Protein backbone atom coordinates (compact mmCIF):
# COMPACT_ATOMS: atom_id res chain seq x y z
CA UNK A 1 0.00 0.00 0.00
CA UNK A 2 1.43 3.41 -0.94
CA UNK A 3 2.12 6.07 1.67
CA UNK A 4 -0.48 8.32 -0.02
CA UNK A 5 -3.20 5.75 0.61
CA UNK A 6 -1.93 5.36 4.16
CA UNK A 7 -2.16 9.14 4.55
CA UNK A 8 -5.73 9.02 3.30
CA UNK A 9 -6.57 6.08 5.50
CA UNK A 10 -5.11 7.81 8.53
CA UNK A 11 -7.07 10.92 7.73
CA UNK A 12 -10.22 8.83 7.40
CA UNK A 13 -9.66 7.29 10.82
CA UNK A 14 -9.00 10.69 12.31
CA UNK A 15 -12.05 11.95 10.45
CA UNK A 16 -14.23 10.32 13.04
CA UNK A 17 -12.99 12.86 15.54
CA UNK A 18 -12.32 15.90 13.40
CA UNK A 19 -15.24 15.98 10.96
CA UNK A 20 -13.17 15.24 7.89
CA UNK A 21 -15.27 14.62 4.83
CA UNK A 22 -16.75 11.30 3.76
CA UNK A 23 -16.30 9.56 0.40
CA UNK A 24 -19.56 8.66 -1.32
CA UNK A 25 -18.94 6.08 -4.01
CA UNK A 26 -21.67 5.93 -6.64
CA UNK A 27 -21.82 3.17 -9.27
CA UNK A 28 -24.23 1.90 -11.89
CA UNK A 29 -24.02 0.31 -15.30
CA UNK A 30 -23.33 2.77 -18.10
CA UNK A 31 -26.59 4.64 -18.78
CA UNK A 32 -27.90 3.85 -15.30
CA UNK A 33 -28.33 7.57 -14.69
CA UNK A 34 -25.77 8.11 -11.93
CA UNK A 35 -24.36 11.21 -13.64
CA UNK A 36 -27.79 12.82 -13.87
CA UNK A 37 -28.61 12.01 -10.24
CA UNK A 38 -25.25 13.31 -8.99
CA UNK A 39 -25.62 16.55 -10.99
CA UNK A 40 -29.14 16.97 -9.58
CA UNK A 41 -27.90 16.51 -6.02
CA UNK A 42 -25.05 18.98 -6.57
CA UNK A 43 -26.92 21.64 -8.54
CA UNK A 44 -30.65 21.39 -7.78
CA UNK A 45 -30.82 19.87 -4.30
CA UNK A 46 -27.57 21.83 -3.80
CA UNK A 47 -26.30 19.78 -0.88
CA UNK A 48 -23.71 22.07 0.71
CA UNK A 49 -20.13 21.12 1.42
CA UNK A 50 -20.13 18.41 -1.23
CA UNK A 51 -17.76 18.12 -4.15
CA UNK A 52 -17.31 15.83 -7.13
CA UNK A 53 -14.16 13.91 -7.93
CA UNK A 54 -13.08 14.45 -11.53
CA UNK A 55 -11.54 11.21 -12.78
CA UNK A 56 -8.78 10.65 -15.31
CA UNK A 57 -9.55 8.61 -18.41
CA UNK A 58 -7.97 7.43 -21.63
CA UNK A 59 -11.39 7.52 -23.32
CA UNK A 60 -11.73 10.18 -26.03
CA UNK A 61 -13.86 13.19 -25.03
CA UNK A 62 -17.46 13.10 -26.22
CA UNK A 63 -19.04 16.09 -27.87
CA UNK A 64 -19.59 18.78 -25.24
CA UNK A 65 -17.25 17.24 -22.66
CA UNK A 66 -14.66 19.63 -21.27
CA UNK A 67 -11.22 18.59 -20.05
CA UNK A 68 -11.11 19.03 -16.27
CA UNK A 69 -14.92 19.13 -15.93
CA UNK A 70 -16.27 15.68 -16.90
CA UNK A 71 -12.81 14.07 -16.89
CA UNK A 72 -9.15 14.81 -17.25
CA UNK A 73 -8.53 13.28 -20.66
CA UNK A 74 -5.06 11.76 -20.94
CA UNK A 75 -3.34 9.31 -23.23
CA UNK A 76 -2.54 5.77 -22.15
CA UNK A 77 1.15 6.57 -21.59
CA UNK A 78 0.36 9.40 -19.17
CA UNK A 79 -2.22 7.26 -17.40
CA UNK A 80 0.27 4.41 -16.99
CA UNK A 81 2.88 6.83 -15.63
CA UNK A 82 0.35 8.02 -13.07
CA UNK A 83 -0.39 4.40 -12.11
CA UNK A 84 3.35 3.72 -11.69
CA UNK A 85 3.75 6.88 -9.59
CA UNK A 86 0.94 5.73 -7.29
CA UNK A 87 -1.20 8.77 -8.04
CA UNK A 88 -4.49 6.89 -8.14
CA UNK A 89 -6.65 5.92 -5.20
CA UNK A 90 -8.16 3.33 -7.54
CA UNK A 91 -8.20 2.71 -11.26
CA UNK A 92 -9.81 0.17 -13.57
CA UNK A 93 -10.23 -0.83 -17.19
CA UNK A 94 -13.89 -0.25 -18.03
CA UNK A 95 -15.39 -1.12 -21.43
CA UNK A 96 -11.86 -1.09 -22.89
CA UNK A 97 -10.72 2.31 -21.53
CA UNK A 98 -8.77 3.19 -18.38
CA UNK A 99 -10.38 5.29 -15.66
CA UNK A 100 -8.89 6.39 -12.36
CA UNK A 101 -9.56 8.49 -9.26
CA UNK A 102 -6.59 10.70 -8.37
CA UNK A 103 -5.73 10.80 -4.69
CA UNK A 104 -4.93 14.52 -4.65
CA UNK A 105 -8.41 15.95 -4.96
CA UNK A 106 -9.88 13.39 -2.57
CA UNK A 107 -7.25 14.12 0.10
CA UNK A 108 -7.59 17.91 -0.28
CA UNK A 109 -11.39 17.93 -0.13
CA UNK A 110 -11.80 15.47 2.73
CA UNK A 111 -9.04 17.13 4.78
CA UNK A 112 -10.88 20.43 4.30
CA UNK A 113 -13.99 18.78 5.76
CA UNK A 114 -15.86 18.51 2.47
CA UNK A 115 -17.64 15.32 1.44
CA UNK A 116 -16.81 14.07 -2.03
CA UNK A 117 -18.68 11.95 -4.57
CA UNK A 118 -16.78 9.42 -6.65
CA UNK A 119 -18.58 8.22 -9.78
CA UNK A 120 -16.86 4.93 -10.55
CA UNK A 121 -17.61 1.50 -11.97
CA UNK A 122 -18.23 -1.55 -9.77
CA UNK A 123 -14.51 -2.51 -9.74
CA UNK A 124 -13.56 0.98 -8.55
CA UNK A 125 -16.24 0.84 -5.86
CA UNK A 126 -14.89 -2.51 -4.61
CA UNK A 127 -11.34 -1.08 -4.43
CA UNK A 128 -12.45 2.00 -2.48
CA UNK A 129 -14.55 -0.09 -0.09
CA UNK A 130 -11.52 -2.26 0.64
CA UNK A 131 -9.17 0.69 1.17
CA UNK A 132 -11.49 2.97 3.10
CA UNK A 133 -13.86 1.11 5.36
CA UNK A 134 -15.87 4.18 6.28
CA UNK A 135 -16.66 5.24 2.72
CA UNK A 136 -20.34 4.99 1.79
CA UNK A 137 -21.21 3.10 -1.39
CA UNK A 138 -24.39 3.49 -3.39
CA UNK A 139 -25.54 1.44 -6.36
CA UNK A 140 -27.90 3.08 -8.85
CA UNK A 141 -30.15 0.44 -10.39
CA UNK A 142 -31.89 1.20 -13.70
CA UNK A 143 -35.55 0.11 -13.44
CA UNK A 144 -35.29 -2.28 -16.42
CA UNK A 145 -33.06 -3.42 -19.29
CA UNK A 146 -35.34 -1.62 -21.74
CA UNK A 147 -35.01 1.70 -19.90
CA UNK A 148 -31.22 1.31 -19.73
CA UNK A 149 -31.01 0.57 -23.46
CA UNK A 150 -33.31 3.48 -24.28
CA UNK A 151 -31.22 5.86 -22.15
CA UNK A 152 -28.00 4.77 -23.82
CA UNK A 153 -29.53 5.19 -27.29
CA UNK A 154 -31.08 8.57 -26.40
CA UNK A 155 -27.73 9.78 -25.02
CA UNK A 156 -26.37 9.29 -28.54
CA UNK A 157 -22.76 9.34 -27.37
CA UNK A 158 -21.69 5.78 -28.13
CA UNK A 159 -20.98 4.04 -31.42
CA UNK A 160 -23.10 0.90 -32.06
CA UNK A 161 -20.09 -1.24 -31.00
CA UNK A 162 -19.59 0.72 -27.75
CA UNK A 163 -23.31 0.57 -27.06
CA UNK A 164 -23.27 -3.21 -27.50
CA UNK A 165 -20.30 -3.57 -25.10
CA UNK A 166 -21.99 -1.43 -22.44
CA UNK A 167 -25.26 -3.39 -22.72
CA UNK A 168 -23.41 -6.71 -22.67
CA UNK A 169 -21.51 -5.75 -19.50
CA UNK A 170 -24.59 -4.45 -17.65
CA UNK A 171 -25.97 -7.78 -16.26
CA UNK A 172 -22.62 -8.61 -14.59
CA UNK A 173 -22.45 -5.12 -13.11
CA UNK A 174 -25.99 -5.48 -11.69
CA UNK A 175 -24.96 -8.66 -9.89
CA UNK A 176 -22.60 -6.59 -7.72
CA UNK A 177 -25.39 -4.53 -6.16
CA UNK A 178 -25.43 -6.43 -2.84
CA UNK A 179 -21.84 -5.41 -2.03
CA UNK A 180 -22.99 -1.79 -1.74
CA UNK A 181 -24.33 -0.06 1.38
CA UNK A 182 -27.37 1.35 -0.45
CA UNK A 183 -29.32 0.75 -3.63
CA UNK A 184 -31.36 3.43 -5.36
CA UNK A 185 -33.78 2.39 -8.11
CA UNK A 186 -33.54 5.14 -10.69
CA UNK A 187 -37.10 5.23 -11.99
CA UNK A 188 -37.50 8.97 -11.49
CA UNK A 189 -34.68 11.51 -11.25
CA UNK A 190 -36.14 13.73 -8.52
CA UNK A 191 -37.05 10.84 -6.26
CA UNK A 192 -33.74 9.07 -6.81
CA UNK A 193 -31.82 12.32 -6.19
CA UNK A 194 -33.74 12.95 -2.98
CA UNK A 195 -32.78 9.46 -1.86
CA UNK A 196 -29.09 10.08 -2.60
CA UNK A 197 -29.22 13.40 -0.71
CA UNK A 198 -30.88 11.60 2.25
CA UNK A 199 -28.06 9.05 2.33
CA UNK A 200 -25.51 11.88 2.44
CA UNK A 201 -27.38 13.67 5.23
CA UNK A 202 -27.75 10.43 7.19
CA UNK A 203 -23.99 9.73 6.94
CA UNK A 204 -23.32 13.23 8.25
CA UNK A 205 -25.54 12.57 11.27
CA UNK A 206 -23.60 9.46 12.34
CA UNK A 207 -22.38 9.63 15.94
CA UNK A 208 -18.80 8.87 14.88
CA UNK A 209 -18.79 11.63 12.30
CA UNK A 210 -20.00 14.23 14.80
CA UNK A 211 -17.92 13.05 17.74
CA UNK A 212 -15.82 16.18 18.31
CA UNK A 213 -18.86 18.44 18.05
CA UNK A 214 -20.92 16.24 20.35
CA UNK A 215 -18.14 16.05 22.95
CA UNK A 216 -17.90 19.86 22.92
CA UNK A 217 -21.65 20.18 23.57
CA UNK A 218 -21.52 17.58 26.35
CA UNK A 219 -18.52 19.30 28.01
CA UNK A 220 -20.32 22.66 28.00
CA UNK A 221 -23.48 20.96 29.21
CA UNK A 222 -21.60 19.39 32.13
CA UNK A 223 -19.86 22.61 33.23
CA UNK A 224 -23.11 24.61 33.06
CA UNK A 225 -24.96 21.97 35.06
CA UNK A 226 -22.20 22.10 37.74
CA UNK A 227 -22.51 25.92 37.95
CA UNK A 228 -26.31 25.65 38.40
CA UNK A 229 -26.18 22.94 41.05
P1 LIG B 1 -18.15 6.73 -19.36
O1 LIG B 1 -17.20 6.36 -20.44
O2 LIG B 1 -19.57 6.38 -19.73
O3 LIG B 1 -18.00 8.16 -18.94
O4 LIG B 1 -17.81 5.87 -18.07
C1 LIG B 1 -17.74 4.48 -18.18
C2 LIG B 1 -17.68 3.88 -16.78
O5 LIG B 1 -16.46 4.25 -16.14
C3 LIG B 1 -18.80 4.36 -15.86
O6 LIG B 1 -19.31 3.24 -15.15
C4 LIG B 1 -18.10 5.31 -14.93
O7 LIG B 1 -18.71 5.40 -13.67
C5 LIG B 1 -16.75 4.63 -14.82
N1 LIG B 1 -15.74 5.53 -14.26
C6 LIG B 1 -15.63 6.88 -14.42
N2 LIG B 1 -14.59 7.35 -13.73
C7 LIG B 1 -14.03 6.30 -13.09
C8 LIG B 1 -12.92 6.15 -12.20
O8 LIG B 1 -12.23 7.08 -11.84
N3 LIG B 1 -12.65 4.89 -11.77
C9 LIG B 1 -13.40 3.80 -12.14
N4 LIG B 1 -13.06 2.63 -11.63
N5 LIG B 1 -14.44 3.91 -12.97
C10 LIG B 1 -14.76 5.14 -13.45
Amino acid sequence: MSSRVKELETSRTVSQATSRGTLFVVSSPSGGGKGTIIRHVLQVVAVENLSYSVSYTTRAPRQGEVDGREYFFVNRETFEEMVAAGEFLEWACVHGNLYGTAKNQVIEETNAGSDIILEVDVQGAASVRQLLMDSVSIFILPPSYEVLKQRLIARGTDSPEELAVRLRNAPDELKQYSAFDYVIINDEVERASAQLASIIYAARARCMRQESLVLEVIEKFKSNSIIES
Side-chain angles (χ1 to χ4, degrees):
M1 187 192 302
S2 79
S3 59
R4 299 294 298 282
V5 171
K6 275 194 202 133
E7 182 191 338
L8 190 60
E9 280 207 304
T10 310
S11 75
R12 300 298 307 134
T13 314
V14 176
S15 83
Q16 317 308 343
T18 57
S19 291
R20 279 204 171 85
T22 297
L23 263 77
F24 292 93
V25 184
V26 181
S27 294
S28 76
S30 207
K34 59 187 173 308
T36 309
I37 293 175
I38 292 169
R39 268 196 306 281
H40 201 86
V41 165
L42 288 167
Q43 294 166 9
V44 183
V45 186
V47 173
E48 73 293 349
N49 215 21
L50 180 68
S51 61
Y52 175 78
S53 164
V54 179
S55 295
Y56 284 73
T57 185
T58 60
R59 163 169 84 57
R62 295 175 183 141
Q63 207 179 5
E65 286 185 331
V66 175
D67 188 42
R69 189 180 66 189
E70 281 79 12
Y71 287 104
F72 293 106
F73 296 97
V74 293
N75 60 29
R76 198 168 262 262
E77 195 187 343
T78 304
F79 194 99
E80 282 167 358
E81 279 168 11
M82 290 179 73
V83 172
E87 292 187 32
F88 290 120
L89 176 64
E90 65 72 38
W91 67 274
C93 181
V94 190
H95 313 315
N97 292 301
L98 303 178
Y99 296 82
T101 305
K103 287 176 195 161
N104 268 350
Q105 192 193 351
V106 173
I107 290 171
E108 276 167 25
E109 301 279 356
T110 52
N111 280 356
S114 177
D115 291 333
I116 187 162
I117 298 187
L118 272 52
E119 183 182 342
V120 301
D121 83 312
V122 290
Q123 305 168 76
S127 304
V128 175
R129 262 196 308 269
Q130 238 181 357
L131 283 172
L132 307 166
M133 306 289 278
D134 61 346
S135 58
V136 177
S137 63
I138 302 121
F139 190 83
I140 309 284
L141 183 67
S144 68
Y145 177 81
E146 290 71 27
V147 168
L148 181 74
K149 185 172 175 185
Q150 211 36 57
R151 281 194 191 136
L152 279 171
I153 292 170
R155 190 163 86 174
T157 51
D158 304 297
S159 67
E161 295 75 32
E162 284 166 340
L163 191 96
V165 170
R166 285 163 191 258
L167 285 172
R168 207 171 39 243
N169 290 340
D172 277 341
E173 292 172 315
L174 292 195
K175 281 189 207 151
Q176 310 286 323
Y177 87 92
S178 59
F180 287 71
D181 298 313
Y182 297 94
V183 180
I184 296 176
I185 299 177
N186 184 18
D187 48 0
E188 210 270 307
V189 161
E190 301 222 329
R191 195 200 60 78
S193 307
Q195 238 178 353
L196 178 56
S198 309
I199 292 166
I200 295 168
Y201 290 133
R204 289 178 177 180
R206 280 177 178 166
C207 289
M208 297 274 269
R209 169 85 189 252
Q210 300 197 87
E211 197 165 36
S212 57
L213 199 60
V214 170
L215 290 178
E216 223 174 88
V217 172
I218 292 177
E219 264 321 300
K220 231 186 228 162
F221 191 99
K222 271 200 295 198
S223 45
N224 285 350
S225 73
I226 291 166
I227 293 167
E228 286 219 350
S229 60

